[in-house]
Amino acid sequence: MRIARFSHNGTPQYAFVQSDKSSGRDYLAVLDGYPFGSQPARPTGERFELDGEGIRLLAPVIPSKIYGLAKNYEAHARFMHSQGHSHEEHAPRDMVVFMKPSTSVIGPDDPIVMPSFSDDMNFEPEVAVVIGRIAKNVTEAEAMDHVLGFTCVNDVTLRDLQGSDPMWTRAKGFDTSCPLGPWIETDLDWRDARISFRLNGEDVPEANGTTANLIHSIPEQIARISSFATLLPGDVIMTGTPNAYGSLHPLDEAQVTVEGIGSLRNVVVKGQ
Ligand SMILES: CC(=O)CC(=O)C(=O)O
């Protein structure tokens, strides 16, 4: 099932994304509430065409917290090293977790604003986990019961500041650094979710990968993070960049695709 957050003439609402087989069109079946918690939201009967007038998809959640995994794929760790962005040739054995603030989140088709204080902005396509139920000290075996679903994320990173600042707070936490969407897919094969990236409509095969190659699995990530912080409904975990990253410049179109979810598209604009 696909759960989208959208606005119709400015009012944000949740909906199931449904395909009408006879017309071949996609619809938003409006829900009577929030898709988290013990009372499941139900369709109200109202529906809109997905590409209808006045309809805009929004980031599927406004998380209280966004965690990110760094160097969670061996291919990515090796790529970072080959670019001179990391001293270590291999991925660290221990999990490396960082955060982005909620103000970094943007939705599908929202602009990524390249800050004037950076000359080196990179895309990082990833699978994002959306938490559905409070998770505190959960085991790996229990972890997936706390997940609502999955979405696409672009962990946009200012590589120059990642090297020069003592922390990654600016490099990974600036406004618009977390494009998220297009919706939450609840039925993903998360053990082998295929990630790909297109830049200005062209495939970037060296950025592609699959969650089958994760070093720390999704249940392991949830268990570890919930051992030091309470994960709330709507919180997001970015599971890691599978492979190469690359540069983004003003006017570039960045498109993250996860097979079984869909595509997240954003255009870069120059900031102040
Ligand atoms: C150091 C990084 O930027 C690595 C990262 O974010 C990743 O996904 O891996």
Side-chain angles (χ1 to χ4, degrees), residues 69-71 76 80 124 126 155 159 162 168 172 240-241:
L69 275 280
K71 297 190 191 169
H76 178 67
M80 283 201 84
E124 293 194 9
E126 304 185 16
D155 172 17
R159 201 65 62 192
Q162 193 175 48
W168 296 352
K172 282 186 179 282
T241 309

Side-chain angles (χ1 to χ4, degrees), residues 4 12 37 40 57-58 71 76 108 117 119 142 145 155 191 194 199 206 210 224 228 246 262 270:
L57 285 183
L58 305 172
K71 297 190 191 169
H76 178 67
F117 47 80
D119 295 321
E142 295 162 340
D145 295 340
D155 172 17
R191 289 185 179 83
R194 311 274 164 137
L199 183 63
E206 61 274 23
T210 159
R224 172 70 68 85
F228 63 81
K270 201 167 156 45

Side-chain angles (χ1 to χ4, degrees), residues 123-127 152-153 193-199 203-205 207-210 242 254-259 262-264:
F123 58 80
E124 293 194 9
E126 304 185 16
V127 172
C152 308
V153 64
R194 311 274 164 137
I195 304 158
S196 60
F197 186 77
R198 299 189 104 194
L199 183 63
D203 281 329
V204 183
N208 298 353
T210 159
Q255 188 177 310
V256 177
T257 299
V258 178
E259 230 175 85
S263 295
L264 168 69

